[in-house]
Amino acid sequence: MSGDDGTIPTPSDENDVGPGQLYAPFLVMESLLDKLKLLNHDREFIRDLKMKPLNRHYFVIPTNPGEQFFMFTSLAAWLIRKAGGKFEQPQEFDDPNAAIASILDFVRKIGMTVDFPPNRLKPGCGQHVVMVLDKLADEALKASNFKWRKPEPRAEVTEDDTVEEDDSELLLERVEEEMAAVYSDDEDDNLLNIDDLRTLPGSDLANLESQKPEEILESTTTSEDWQLELERVLPQLKVTIKTDSRDWRSHLQQMHSQHEGIQESLSSAKTRLDKLYSDITQTMDKIKSREKFLNNQLDPTLVEYRTVQEELARVSEQYREVSGGVSERQRALALVSEELDAVKQEMEERGSSMTDGTPLVNIKRAVGRMKSEITAMDVQIGVLEHSLLQARLRDKSLLQQDMNTNSYLTV
């Protein structure tokens, strides 16, 4: 089924091993199921944890990867706990990588060599999944002190040649007579006449007639010899009829015994049933009499209740008729209220816009800024005019000096 180190040959090793090794996972899966039965997984795993029963090819043939992976992690967690490890029961939406890592860590602790990538376990089926589960099952069996032993064949019991006489023993002659009586009627029609045999092709009856003895043969054996021979072979002619579960006689005997048991149980239970019937009848009579008394006592109240109920129905009808007009008026009132709210909101907006002094304040601020700017410009203009006047005066003085200098030179 597997190698000496607990590994399973892969399909890539087909050149090194025989083609039959490709079907080794099927054998390992069957062995795994046997080990799980020894671990009582039917009650502790399937029934207690409400899991799906496993078939003998569940983890070998891919059917539903999500379901198979969840079953693989759940079974591995259960086997790890059986082997003495700590592993919480996985949930359906847990991280698969974390679950696989935890399982492989425990597998390495128990001495198994993991020479395959963890992604091989994600499909929940295949030879590596079966290999890991089989190794965990072996470890769980070791933890439960289970030991494999060689099979011990049962000793063959030889029947004694001597059979004790009982009521079931019949003489062979009586059996033959009964069988002949049963089958004689059916076989009479199928028997061939001796005269018909003579007409068959290849028949040797003519030769047999020619070989008939001319005289009647007479036996020389005496009655004493016949009696001695009969006494000698009589114990060997006795047969034992073994009871067959499919025999209608045993079924009929069982029916008779069951019928007698039912009759005995019925005789003891009939008295109890009759007593129970009488008690129930008396209780029912008491209940009926009490019902009649209550009906008589509550009859006036019931009449009054019916009257009040009819009055309530009439008032309810009037209320529905009146409430119809009220609802129409309420809808009209709601429309008028909406229009009034719209008018009020418009009036408030206009009043707020009329009493709002924000634009005037903005205008005043703009005028103030313009005045300040005009003042600044006036100062700048004054400065420029003063500078221009100073330049003109300076030019005028220079011109006058030049003129004075020229007149002096002329003189």
Side-chain angles (χ1 to χ4, degrees):
M1 293 188 298
S2 61
D4 297 335
D5 56 350
T7 59
I8 299 176
T10 59
S12 61
D13 300 334
E14 187 176 359
N15 297 327
D16 298 334
V17 297
Q21 293 295 331
L22 296 176
Y23 302 95
F26 293 91
L27 302 177
V28 179
M29 182 65 200
E30 293 181 0
S31 176
L32 174 62
L33 284 180
D34 294 336
K35 295 174 183 178
L36 293 177
K37 290 178 182 179
L38 295 175
L39 292 171
N40 198 13
H41 85 294
D42 292 335
R43 183 175 61 83
E44 298 182 5
F45 179 70
I46 294 176
R47 190 178 68 183
D48 294 347
L49 299 180
K50 297 180 180 180
M51 292 294 181
K52 180 181 178 181
L54 303 176
N55 55 44
R56 59 194 185 99
H57 297 154
Y58 186 81
F59 290 114
V60 180
I61 300 175
T63 55
N64 188 350
E67 178 186 344
Q68 287 178 314
F69 180 76
F70 177 66
M71 182 66 72
F72 162 66
T73 54
S74 301
L75 183 59
W78 179 72
L79 291 174
I80 289 173
R81 291 195 297 270
K82 293 285 289 184
K86 294 182 180 180
F87 200 104
E88 295 294 335
Q89 183 64 27
Q91 301 299 323
E92 191 171 0
F93 301 102
D94 290 347
D95 185 12
N97 296 321
I100 292 174
S102 301
I103 294 171
L104 292 180
D105 289 341
F106 185 82
V107 169
R108 291 188 184 95
K109 288 181 182 178
I110 61 178
M112 177 180 173
T113 303
V114 180
D115 54 354
F116 57 87
N119 293 330
R120 295 291 183 89
L121 302 179
K122 280 190 177 181
C125 62
Q127 58 182 0
H128 300 94
V129 171
V130 177
M131 177 181 66
V132 171
L133 292 176
D134 185 67
K135 189 65 177 178
L136 292 175
D138 291 338
E139 192 67 20
L141 288 174
K142 291 180 182 178
S144 61
N145 296 325
F146 180 83
K147 295 182 180 179
W148 297 98
R149 293 184 298 178
K150 294 182 179 180
E152 298 177 359
R154 296 182 179 178
E156 296 182 358
V157 180
T158 57
E159 297 181 356
D160 296 336
D161 295 338
T162 60
V163 181
E164 297 181 358
E165 296 182 0
D166 52 6
D167 296 337
S168 61
E169 293 182 354
L170 299 175
L171 293 176
L172 183 59
E173 295 177 355
R174 186 177 299 176
V175 175
E176 292 178 353
E177 291 175 359
E178 292 179 357
M179 294 177 63
V182 172
Y183 295 104
S184 60
D185 297 335
D186 297 335
E187 293 179 355
D188 286 341
D189 298 335
N190 298 325
L191 293 177
L192 294 175
N193 193 358
I194 191 66
D195 295 332
D196 297 333
L197 293 175
R198 294 173 182 174
T199 61
L200 293 175
S203 176
D204 297 335
L205 290 178
N207 298 329
L208 292 175
E209 289 181 355
S210 62
Q211 296 177 2
K212 286 183 180 180
E214 297 178 355
E215 298 180 356
I216 298 175
L217 296 177
E218 294 182 359
S219 176
T220 58
T221 305
T222 61
S223 60
E224 289 81 2
D225 296 337
W226 275 103
Q227 189 68 27
L228 292 174
E229 183 67 18
L230 181 62
E231 291 178 356
R232 185 180 67 83
V233 300
L234 184 60
Q236 300 179 3
L237 296 178
K238 292 180 180 181
V239 295
T240 303
I241 304 300
K242 296 183 180 180
T243 59
D244 190 3
S245 60
R246 296 175 294 179
D247 190 9
W248 64 271
R249 296 180 181 85
S250 61
H251 292 173
L252 181 62
Q253 183 65 28
Q254 291 178 2
M255 290 170 62
H256 285 304
S257 61
Q258 295 291 341
H259 180 69
E260 292 176 357
I262 291 172
Q263 292 294 334
E264 293 177 359
S265 301
L266 181 61
S267 61
S268 61
K270 186 175 181 181
T271 55
R272 299 180 183 178
L273 293 175
D274 293 337
K275 183 178 180 182
L276 182 62
Y277 174 74
S278 61
D279 294 340
I280 293 174
T281 305
Q282 293 176 1
T283 305
M284 292 295 293
D285 293 338
K286 291 180 181 180
I287 292 173
K288 289 180 180 179
S289 62
R290 186 58 59 87
E291 286 180 353
K292 292 180 181 178
F293 175 75
L294 291 176
N295 290 330
N296 294 330
Q297 293 291 329
L298 297 176
D299 193 15
T301 307
L302 292 175
V303 173
E304 184 179 359
Y305 174 73
R306 293 191 188 95
T307 305
V308 174
Q309 194 173 12
E310 292 176 358
E311 183 68 20
L312 176 62
R314 185 179 59 82
V315 173
S316 299
E317 185 66 26
Q318 292 178 357
Y319 173 75
R320 282 195 295 270
E321 293 177 357
V322 174
S323 62
V326 173
S327 60
E328 291 293 335
R329 291 179 178 82
Q330 285 179 351
R331 283 195 292 271
L333 178 62
L335 293 175
V336 173
S337 299
E338 290 178 358
E339 293 178 358
L340 180 60
D341 292 337
V343 171
K344 286 182 179 180
Q345 185 177 1
E346 186 177 357
M347 290 177 64
E348 288 178 357
E349 289 178 355
R350 289 183 179 181
S352 62
S353 63
M354 291 174 65
T355 58
D356 190 8
T358 303
L360 183 59
V361 173
N362 293 332
I363 292 171
K364 288 182 178 180
R365 289 179 180 175
V367 170
R369 282 199 303 273
M370 290 176 67
K371 286 181 179 182
S372 62
E373 290 177 358
I374 290 171
T375 303
M377 291 176 68
D378 290 341
V379 172
Q380 291 178 0
I381 290 169
V383 171
L384 290 173
E385 288 179 352
H386 179 70
S387 299
L388 182 59
L389 181 60
Q390 291 291 333
R392 286 179 179 179
L393 292 174
R394 189 171 52 253
D395 292 341
K396 187 177 181 181
S397 62
L398 291 175
L399 181 60
Q400 189 175 3
Q401 289 178 3
D402 291 337
M403 290 176 65
N404 293 330
T405 303
N406 292 330
S407 61
Y408 179 75
L409 290 174
T410 306
V411 174

